[in-house]
Amino acid sequence: MARLALLSVSNKTGLIDLARSLVEEFDFDLISSGGTAQALKDAGLPVTKVADYTGSPEILGGRVKTLHPRIHGGILARRDVPQDITDLENNQIRPIDLVVVNLYPFEETIAKPGVTLAEAVEQIDIGGPAMLRASSKNFAHLTVLCDPAQYDEYLEELRQNNGVASLEFRQKAALRGFSHTASYDRAITSYLADAQQYTLSGTQLQSLRYGENPHQPATWYQTGTTPTGWAAATKLQGKELSYNNLVDLEAARRIIAEFTDTPAATIIKHTNPCGTALGKTIVEAYQKAFNADSTSAFGGIVALNRPIDAATASELTKTFLECVVAPSCEAEAQEILAKKSNVRVLTLADLSSGPKDTVKAIAGGFLVQTADDIVADTSQWQVVTERQPTPDELAELLFAWKICKHVKSNAIVVTSDRTTLGVGAGQMNRVGSVKIALEQAGEKAKGAILASDGFFPFDDSVKTAAAAGITAIVQPGGSLRDKDSIKAANELGLVMVLTGVRHFLH
């Protein structure tokens, strides 16, 4: 008797090719439900509708289709238990050898603007998870596939093993099935719980060589069923990504996402920018970013918001870099970068989309906060000094403010000509960060501007900045001593702008 495959999928990518191979190459019979059955029929493939197989029609508007003993008996039967085989025979149930299921697009539905609770609820799959869990439980006797990316691997498995999937493959596929349902339930739980419960799950992408240090094991997980972010990036060349690479790449992505209208480049070391700049071309932006702190740029992570062209590729090969990421890479540029075979070159078309939440583990639990993705609006800023900023100064202040947001607190950034000149990061007091940033900027601080992620508790930093030649300062404000800093700025002829928004980063 031919083997039986049950196909019931929401995502029909690769469905027809898989089904055709099952029928023509491996002699499977097909049963299917709803739209999947129609798609197979339209493709000219022999298929029996689930309703015809079970003798029970689809009811409740399609809510009940596969919840039937002839389906779940065929899935859960143990071929090495005589009573199970007897039960199948007595109830005219065929054992099912392959289950191909993926679920209603719940996450895609709730991501749509204005979706209602009723609309979301209708995308909560019932029969699909039931079949996935049953099939995954009984992996000793059948195979379950929940992702179109598995189809070719499964067919190749059959070809290599005389038409039978190995136990190792079936167990691996079962794990994928359980992960799929866990991720699906997590999305539903998070949506309905309204912050009362927060769950996090992921599918392992790869084991990393180690974490921040060699004695720390580390693993990279993908959230959701569809690869996004770094899971969707293409690595054109270079060694495997490390834990630190990925952390720094994400820091670089967050900065480069601030700039969309103008070519921009940033170079990251230990999650902080050592050089960020705008330019008329992407090669100019990179050159300015590199020259901002060429010493720290050695071994850095580079993010570009424009495709890598030949000129930029040539510049990138002039120093040692760990990683480079851009939306795309031209063919000529790729040939040039290939000369530095160890540098990891990635393309990620969407560098602007990031996680909505940030999660930090603490003893006994974890903390969740929304991502700091507020968009700076200069129309909401308050100029608190007698001297008003020129349009160019205001644009420079905005540039510095966007970068300061992504520097570890206490954060101070000095810029000029849309280029970082000095960065003071992670100091225990703001005065220390000011001194580091100004010392790094040196003589270039004359005529430059300064951004601070938090308010100045005293006027000493304002006086220090003015003495170094700073002409304008942007900061959140909110200190009880704001008036002292404003007074000092007026006396020294500085512009001071208060944003009303703080950007601590810990």
Side-chain angles (χ1 to χ4, degrees):
M1 179 182 294
R3 288 176 293 177
L4 187 61
L6 169 61
L7 283 64
S8 180
V9 294
S10 175
N11 178 1
K12 295 177 176 56
T13 302
L15 170 70
I16 303 305
D17 289 340
L18 170 67
R20 182 167 286 113
S21 293
L22 292 175
V23 171
E24 297 178 358
E25 191 175 349
F26 298 105
D27 195 31
F28 273 87
D29 288 340
L30 306 180
I31 57 175
S32 190
S33 61
T36 307
Q38 189 62 51
L40 295 173
K41 183 178 179 181
D42 291 345
L45 291 166
V47 59
T48 300
K49 290 185 177 180
V50 165
D52 295 332
Y53 176 72
T54 62
S56 297
E58 295 183 7
I59 62 173
L60 307 182
R63 281 190 166 196
V64 177
K65 291 178 290 206
T66 57
L67 298 171
H68 193 280
R70 291 202 77 190
I71 298 298
H72 286 272
I75 291 173
L76 286 165
R78 294 159 292 186
R79 317 295 167 82
D80 56 354
V81 176
Q83 185 59 52
D84 284 10
I85 301 303
T86 299
D87 287 343
L88 293 184
E89 293 172 350
N90 290 341
N91 291 279
Q92 298 181 315
I93 298 174
R94 290 178 61 181
I96 296 174
D97 290 277
L98 172 66
V99 174
V100 182
V101 176
N102 54 58
L103 308 178
Y104 293 167
F106 181 81
E107 289 183 281
E108 291 85 343
T109 298
I110 62 175
K112 296 176 182 176
V115 66
T116 66
L117 176 61
E119 290 170 336
V121 167
E122 282 308 307
Q123 292 303 317
I124 298 177
D125 203 328
I126 301 300
M131 289 188 291
L132 275 178
R133 287 180 60 81
S135 305
S136 297
K137 174 178 179 176
N138 205 29
F139 69 85
H141 302 284
L142 79 162
T143 305
V144 58
L145 305 176
C146 61
D147 185 342
Q150 297 173 288
Y151 296 171
D152 288 343
E153 185 181 2
Y154 172 70
L155 293 173
E156 189 59 31
E157 175 77 6
L158 297 185
R159 295 180 185 118
Q160 295 293 327
N161 294 282
N162 297 317
V164 178
S166 65
L167 178 61
E168 181 183 9
F169 181 90
R170 299 197 302 271
Q171 183 171 345
K172 178 182 173 182
L175 175 60
R176 189 77 168 269
F178 282 125
S179 296
H180 191 37
T181 56
S183 177
Y184 195 75
D185 287 341
R186 176 200 58 77
I188 296 169
T189 301
S190 296
Y191 177 75
L192 295 177
D194 191 25
Q196 296 178 34
Q197 185 173 8
Y198 189 97
T199 58
L200 184 66
S201 66
T203 302
Q204 180 177 328
L205 283 182
Q206 66 182 77
S207 295
L208 303 172
R209 287 181 61 198
Y210 51 79
E212 286 180 297
N213 298 290
H215 61 275
Q216 296 173 264
T219 307
W220 180 10
Y221 292 90
Q222 170 193 313
T223 56
T225 56
T226 302
T228 59
W230 298 110
T234 300
K235 186 162 72 72
L236 301 180
Q237 66 172 59
K239 298 180 290 186
E240 290 296 325
L241 292 167
S242 71
Y243 179 97
N244 290 334
N245 288 158
L246 288 161
V247 171
D248 284 337
L249 280 167
E250 177 60 14
R253 186 203 61 77
R254 289 197 297 264
I255 290 183
I256 215 67
E258 296 280 356
F259 307 102
T260 57
D261 299 333
T262 305
T266 189
I267 307 173
I268 298 293
K269 287 292 287 290
H270 305 297
T271 73
N272 285 304
C274 56
T276 303
L278 307 183
K280 295 178 181 178
T281 63
I282 195 63
V283 67
E284 180 189 11
Y286 172 71
Q287 288 171 329
K288 289 169 67 177
F290 177 81
N291 292 331
D293 186 356
S294 58
T295 300
S296 297
F298 183 85
I301 305 287
V302 175
L304 311 169
N305 71 346
R306 295 290 188 275
I308 306 173
D309 55 22
T312 308
S314 295
E315 291 297 316
L316 290 167
T317 60
K318 291 180 180 180
T319 191
F320 167 66
L321 298 170
E322 285 280 352
C323 304
V324 177
V325 63
S328 60
C329 183
E330 297 177 2
E332 186 178 357
Q334 195 168 342
E335 290 181 10
I336 294 170
L337 290 167
K339 298 174 184 176
K340 292 275 190 175
S341 59
N342 284 334
V343 64
R344 304 161 177 89
V345 179
L346 296 90
T347 58
L348 180 58
D350 182 9
L351 284 163
S352 62
S353 298
K356 296 179 180 179
D357 299 325
T358 61
V359 182
K360 188 179 292 289
I362 60 173
F366 56 89
L367 307 174
V368 180
Q369 65 173 352
T370 59
D372 186 7
D373 55 8
I374 188 171
V375 178
D377 182 0
T378 57
S379 69
Q380 301 299 311
W381 291 4
Q382 181 184 8
V383 180
V384 293
T385 49
E386 296 167 2
R387 190 166 83 77
Q388 300 291 300
T390 66
D392 186 68
E393 282 179 319
L394 187 61
E396 191 71 46
L397 288 164
L398 178 60
F399 172 76
W401 182 244
K402 287 181 174 182
I403 296 168
C404 196
K405 171 182 175 181
H406 301 285
V407 176
K408 288 293 182 69
S409 300
N410 287 310
I412 298 291
V413 174
V414 175
T415 77
S416 180
D417 188 29
R418 314 303 188 269
T419 306
T420 54
L421 302 177
V423 178
Q427 298 305 300
M428 286 65 73
N429 63 78
R430 197 158 299 277
V431 174
S433 290
V434 169
K435 289 180 179 179
I436 290 172
L438 292 173
E439 181 180 348
Q440 188 179 12
E443 289 298 311
K444 293 180 181 179
K446 294 179 180 178
I449 67 95
L450 181 146
S452 172
D453 68 339
F455 61 64
F456 294 112
F458 304 100
D459 63 6
D460 49 359
S461 290
V462 177
K463 294 176 179 178
T464 300
I470 295 295
T471 61
I473 293 175
V474 57
Q475 55 126 330
S479 169
L480 293 174
R481 296 176 178 269
D482 273 350
K483 61 182 185 300
D484 295 339
S485 295
I486 295 169
K487 179 183 177 182
N490 279 324
E491 291 174 349
L492 296 165
L494 273 62
V495 169
M496 181 172 286
V497 176
L498 304 185
T499 67
V501 177
R502 190 184 72 184
H503 284 305
F504 280 176
L505 177 62
H506 292 102

mmCIF file of all heavy atoms in Angstrom, residues 40 54 75 78-80 143 159 181 186 210 222 227 238 265 284 314 331 335 340 359 361 363 389 442 466 471 473 485:
data_model
loop_
_atom_site.group_PDB
_atom_site.id
_atom_site.type_symbol
_atom_site.label_atom_id
_atom_site.label_comp_id
_atom_site.label_asym_id
_atom_site.label_seq_id
_atom_site.Cartn_x
_atom_site.Cartn_y
_atom_site.Cartn_z
ATOM 1 N N LEU A 40 -3.342 21.883 -4.717
ATOM 2 C CA LEU A 40 -2.815 20.632 -5.266
ATOM 3 C C LEU A 40 -3.660 20.162 -6.453
ATOM 4 O O LEU A 40 -3.129 19.714 -7.476
ATOM 5 C CB LEU A 40 -2.794 19.563 -4.178
ATOM 6 C CG LEU A 40 -1.846 19.816 -2.995
ATOM 7 C CD1 LEU A 40 -2.056 18.773 -1.907
ATOM 8 C CD2 LEU A 40 -0.400 19.825 -3.449
ATOM 9 N N THR A 54 -12.190 11.569 6.149
ATOM 10 C CA THR A 54 -12.736 11.325 7.489
ATOM 11 C C THR A 54 -14.230 11.024 7.451
ATOM 12 O O THR A 54 -14.767 10.426 8.392
ATOM 13 C CB THR A 54 -12.516 12.551 8.405
ATOM 14 O OG1 THR A 54 -13.216 13.679 7.855
ATOM 15 C CG2 THR A 54 -11.037 12.859 8.542
ATOM 16 N N ILE A 75 -1.772 9.613 12.862
ATOM 17 C CA ILE A 75 -0.532 10.301 13.241
ATOM 18 C C ILE A 75 0.104 9.651 14.467
ATOM 19 O O ILE A 75 1.315 9.422 14.520
ATOM 20 C CB ILE A 75 -0.805 11.792 13.511
ATOM 21 C CG1 ILE A 75 -1.158 12.524 12.213
ATOM 22 C CG2 ILE A 75 0.404 12.450 14.176
ATOM 23 C CD1 ILE A 75 -1.597 13.969 12.421
ATOM 24 N N ARG A 78 1.518 3.871 17.052
ATOM 25 C CA ARG A 78 2.866 3.303 17.171
ATOM 26 C C ARG A 78 2.910 1.999 16.383
ATOM 27 O O ARG A 78 2.167 1.063 16.688
ATOM 28 C CB ARG A 78 3.200 3.074 18.640
ATOM 29 C CG ARG A 78 3.302 4.362 19.447
ATOM 30 C CD ARG A 78 3.123 4.122 20.929
ATOM 31 N NE ARG A 78 1.737 3.712 21.240
ATOM 32 C CZ ARG A 78 1.276 3.542 22.479
ATOM 33 N NH1 ARG A 78 2.077 3.732 23.524
ATOM 34 N NH2 ARG A 78 0.009 3.164 22.681
ATOM 35 N N ARG A 79 3.764 1.944 15.380
ATOM 36 C CA ARG A 79 3.781 0.787 14.476
ATOM 37 C C ARG A 79 4.308 -0.478 15.164
ATOM 38 O O ARG A 79 4.135 -1.584 14.654
ATOM 39 C CB ARG A 79 4.649 1.088 13.248
ATOM 40 C CG ARG A 79 4.457 2.474 12.648
ATOM 41 C CD ARG A 79 3.071 2.711 12.070
ATOM 42 N NE ARG A 79 2.830 4.117 11.775
ATOM 43 C CZ ARG A 79 3.223 4.736 10.684
ATOM 44 N NH1 ARG A 79 3.900 4.076 9.761
ATOM 45 N NH2 ARG A 79 2.939 6.010 10.495
ATOM 46 N N ASP A 80 4.964 -0.318 16.324
ATOM 47 C CA ASP A 80 5.521 -1.480 17.032
ATOM 48 C C ASP A 80 4.663 -1.893 18.230
ATOM 49 O O ASP A 80 5.093 -2.688 19.076
ATOM 50 C CB ASP A 80 6.955 -1.189 17.493
ATOM 51 C CG ASP A 80 7.051 0.067 18.359
ATOM 52 O OD1 ASP A 80 6.027 0.776 18.510
ATOM 53 O OD2 ASP A 80 8.156 0.355 18.857
ATOM 54 N N THR A 143 7.429 11.471 9.924
ATOM 55 C CA THR A 143 8.173 12.719 9.778
ATOM 56 C C THR A 143 7.203 13.890 9.761
ATOM 57 O O THR A 143 6.121 13.800 9.163
ATOM 58 C CB THR A 143 8.981 12.731 8.460
ATOM 59 O OG1 THR A 143 9.821 11.577 8.417
ATOM 60 C CG2 THR A 143 9.820 13.987 8.356
ATOM 61 N N ARG A 159 16.000 10.215 -0.843
ATOM 62 C CA ARG A 159 16.816 9.715 -1.954
ATOM 63 C C ARG A 159 18.067 9.007 -1.460
ATOM 64 O O ARG A 159 18.529 8.034 -2.062
ATOM 65 C CB ARG A 159 17.199 10.877 -2.873
ATOM 66 C CG ARG A 159 16.003 11.526 -3.584
ATOM 67 C CD ARG A 159 16.417 12.674 -4.479
ATOM 68 N NE ARG A 159 15.239 13.335 -5.041
ATOM 69 C CZ ARG A 159 14.901 14.598 -4.824
ATOM 70 N NH1 ARG A 159 15.677 15.363 -4.065
ATOM 71 N NH2 ARG A 159 13.815 15.105 -5.373
ATOM 72 N N THR A 181 5.680 25.432 17.388
ATOM 73 C CA THR A 181 4.474 25.640 18.184
ATOM 74 C C THR A 181 4.779 26.486 19.432
ATOM 75 O O THR A 181 3.947 27.297 19.851
ATOM 76 C CB THR A 181 3.842 24.310 18.612
ATOM 77 O OG1 THR A 181 4.789 23.512 19.324
ATOM 78 C CG2 THR A 181 3.351 23.539 17.402
ATOM 79 N N ARG A 186 4.013 31.527 22.136
ATOM 80 C CA ARG A 186 4.616 32.692 22.785
ATOM 81 C C ARG A 186 4.043 33.984 22.213
ATOM 82 O O ARG A 186 3.722 34.924 22.945
ATOM 83 C CB ARG A 186 6.137 32.681 22.584
ATOM 84 C CG ARG A 186 6.831 33.931 23.153
ATOM 85 C CD ARG A 186 8.202 34.138 22.545
ATOM 86 N NE ARG A 186 8.146 34.261 21.096
ATOM 87 C CZ ARG A 186 7.753 35.369 20.465
ATOM 88 N NH1 ARG A 186 7.377 36.425 21.129
ATOM 89 N NH2 ARG A 186 7.726 35.399 19.150
ATOM 90 N N TYR A 210 32.525 30.854 21.133
ATOM 91 C CA TYR A 210 32.408 31.180 22.553
ATOM 92 C C TYR A 210 31.697 32.518 22.671
ATOM 93 O O TYR A 210 31.339 33.139 21.656
ATOM 94 C CB TYR A 210 33.774 31.204 23.258
ATOM 95 C CG TYR A 210 34.841 32.045 22.591
ATOM 96 C CD1 TYR A 210 34.869 33.434 22.738
ATOM 97 C CD2 TYR A 210 35.856 31.450 21.839
ATOM 98 C CE1 TYR A 210 35.861 34.192 22.141
ATOM 99 C CE2 TYR A 210 36.853 32.208 21.236
ATOM 100 C CZ TYR A 210 36.845 33.584 21.396
ATOM 101 O OH TYR A 210 37.822 34.344 20.812
ATOM 102 N N GLN A 222 17.360 32.391 16.611
ATOM 103 C CA GLN A 222 16.464 33.211 15.794
ATOM 104 C C GLN A 222 15.093 33.249 16.454
ATOM 105 O O GLN A 222 14.557 32.227 16.860
ATOM 106 C CB GLN A 222 16.317 32.616 14.390
ATOM 107 C CG GLN A 222 15.221 33.258 13.546
ATOM 108 C CD GLN A 222 14.908 32.451 12.302
ATOM 109 O OE1 GLN A 222 15.818 32.036 11.586
ATOM 110 N NE2 GLN A 222 13.633 32.215 12.042
ATOM 111 N N PRO A 227 13.011 34.338 9.163
ATOM 112 C CA PRO A 227 14.268 35.012 9.492
ATOM 113 C C PRO A 227 14.174 36.522 9.240
ATOM 114 O O PRO A 227 13.723 36.963 8.177
ATOM 115 C CB PRO A 227 15.285 34.370 8.531
ATOM 116 C CG PRO A 227 14.676 33.053 8.169
ATOM 117 C CD PRO A 227 13.200 33.291 8.137
ATOM 118 N N GLY A 238 34.319 35.614 4.578
ATOM 119 C CA GLY A 238 34.892 35.759 5.907
ATOM 120 C C GLY A 238 34.583 34.606 6.835
ATOM 121 O O GLY A 238 33.818 33.690 6.519
ATOM 122 N N ALA A 265 28.386 56.441 7.481
ATOM 123 C CA ALA A 265 29.243 55.316 7.869
ATOM 124 C C ALA A 265 29.531 55.408 9.355
ATOM 125 O O ALA A 265 29.674 56.510 9.898
ATOM 126 C CB ALA A 265 30.544 55.332 7.078
ATOM 127 N N GLU A 284 33.189 58.881 0.857
ATOM 128 C CA GLU A 284 33.560 60.061 1.644
ATOM 129 C C GLU A 284 33.126 59.890 3.094
ATOM 130 O O GLU A 284 33.879 60.213 4.016
ATOM 131 C CB GLU A 284 32.927 61.320 1.064
ATOM 132 C CG GLU A 284 33.293 62.578 1.856
ATOM 133 C CD GLU A 284 32.507 63.810 1.431
ATOM 134 O OE1 GLU A 284 31.522 63.676 0.670
ATOM 135 O OE2 GLU A 284 32.863 64.912 1.896
ATOM 136 N N SER A 314 37.911 49.584 -1.812
ATOM 137 C CA SER A 314 39.360 49.821 -1.804
ATOM 138 C C SER A 314 39.791 50.452 -0.490
ATOM 139 O O SER A 314 40.836 50.090 0.081
ATOM 140 C CB SER A 314 39.751 50.716 -2.975
ATOM 141 O OG SER A 314 39.508 50.062 -4.209
ATOM 142 N N ALA A 331 29.380 44.000 -7.563
ATOM 143 C CA ALA A 331 30.237 42.876 -7.956
ATOM 144 C C ALA A 331 31.715 43.252 -7.939
ATOM 145 O O ALA A 331 32.561 42.497 -7.450
ATOM 146 C CB ALA A 331 29.824 42.374 -9.342
ATOM 147 N N GLU A 335 34.848 41.718 -5.502
ATOM 148 C CA GLU A 335 36.132 41.196 -5.961
ATOM 149 C C GLU A 335 37.292 41.844 -5.210
ATOM 150 O O GLU A 335 38.272 41.187 -4.853
ATOM 151 C CB GLU A 335 36.286 41.446 -7.455
ATOM 152 C CG GLU A 335 35.355 40.599 -8.329
ATOM 153 C CD GLU A 335 35.562 40.867 -9.816
ATOM 154 O OE1 GLU A 335 36.545 41.562 -10.151
ATOM 155 O OE2 GLU A 335 34.760 40.392 -10.622
ATOM 156 N N LYS A 340 40.851 40.490 0.996
ATOM 157 C CA LYS A 340 40.925 40.405 2.460
ATOM 158 C C LYS A 340 39.930 39.325 2.895
ATOM 159 O O LYS A 340 38.860 39.598 3.417
ATOM 160 C CB LYS A 340 40.558 41.754 3.076
ATOM 161 C CG LYS A 340 41.558 42.857 2.823
ATOM 162 C CD LYS A 340 42.673 42.814 3.863
ATOM 163 C CE LYS A 340 43.551 44.045 3.771
ATOM 164 N NZ LYS A 340 44.556 44.085 4.850
ATOM 165 N N VAL A 359 15.827 43.065 26.304
ATOM 166 C CA VAL A 359 15.696 42.160 27.443
ATOM 167 C C VAL A 359 17.057 42.013 28.111
ATOM 168 O O VAL A 359 18.065 41.803 27.451
ATOM 169 C CB VAL A 359 15.178 40.775 26.991
ATOM 170 C CG1 VAL A 359 15.006 39.850 28.190
ATOM 171 C CG2 VAL A 359 13.872 40.914 26.225
ATOM 172 N N ALA A 361 18.899 39.972 31.428
ATOM 173 C CA ALA A 361 18.747 38.988 32.499
ATOM 174 C C ALA A 361 19.302 39.525 33.808
ATOM 175 O O ALA A 361 20.341 40.199 33.835
ATOM 176 C CB ALA A 361 19.471 37.698 32.122
ATOM 177 N N ALA A 363 19.419 38.276 38.273
ATOM 178 C CA ALA A 363 19.218 37.128 39.146
ATOM 179 C C ALA A 363 17.732 36.967 39.445
ATOM 180 O O ALA A 363 17.074 37.901 39.904
ATOM 181 C CB ALA A 363 20.006 37.302 40.443
ATOM 182 N N PRO A 389 20.965 79.123 17.622
ATOM 183 C CA PRO A 389 21.782 78.340 16.683
ATOM 184 C C PRO A 389 21.471 78.714 15.238
ATOM 185 O O PRO A 389 20.322 79.008 14.895
ATOM 186 C CB PRO A 389 21.369 76.899 16.961
ATOM 187 C CG PRO A 389 19.960 77.007 17.477
ATOM 188 C CD PRO A 389 19.914 78.294 18.251
ATOM 189 N N GLY A 442 40.906 67.383 20.520
ATOM 190 C CA GLY A 442 42.076 68.259 20.440
ATOM 191 C C GLY A 442 41.748 69.633 19.871
ATOM 192 O O GLY A 442 40.712 70.233 20.199
ATOM 193 N N ALA A 466 33.616 75.137 26.808
ATOM 194 C CA ALA A 466 33.860 76.458 26.221
ATOM 195 C C ALA A 466 35.351 76.757 26.134
ATOM 196 O O ALA A 466 35.834 77.322 25.142
ATOM 197 C CB ALA A 466 33.150 77.533 27.041
ATOM 198 N N THR A 471 31.248 75.606 20.724
ATOM 199 C CA THR A 471 30.375 76.772 20.524
ATOM 200 C C THR A 471 28.904 76.473 20.784
ATOM 201 O O THR A 471 28.115 77.408 20.914
ATOM 202 C CB THR A 471 30.515 77.305 19.081
ATOM 203 O OG1 THR A 471 30.114 76.285 18.165
ATOM 204 C CG2 THR A 471 31.951 77.722 18.799
ATOM 205 N N ILE A 473 25.982 73.410 22.608
ATOM 206 C CA ILE A 473 25.785 72.200 23.400
ATOM 207 C C ILE A 473 24.330 71.767 23.293
ATOM 208 O O ILE A 473 23.413 72.593 23.346
ATOM 209 C CB ILE A 473 26.129 72.450 24.892
ATOM 210 C CG1 ILE A 473 27.635 72.705 25.050
ATOM 211 C CG2 ILE A 473 25.687 71.274 25.762
ATOM 212 C CD1 ILE A 473 28.043 73.090 26.472
ATOM 213 N N SER A 485 24.028 76.042 34.468
ATOM 214 C CA SER A 485 24.639 75.702 33.183
ATOM 215 C C SER A 485 24.222 76.692 32.099
ATOM 216 O O SER A 485 25.038 77.094 31.255
ATOM 217 C CB SER A 485 24.229 74.277 32.767
ATOM 218 O OG SER A 485 24.760 73.332 33.669
#
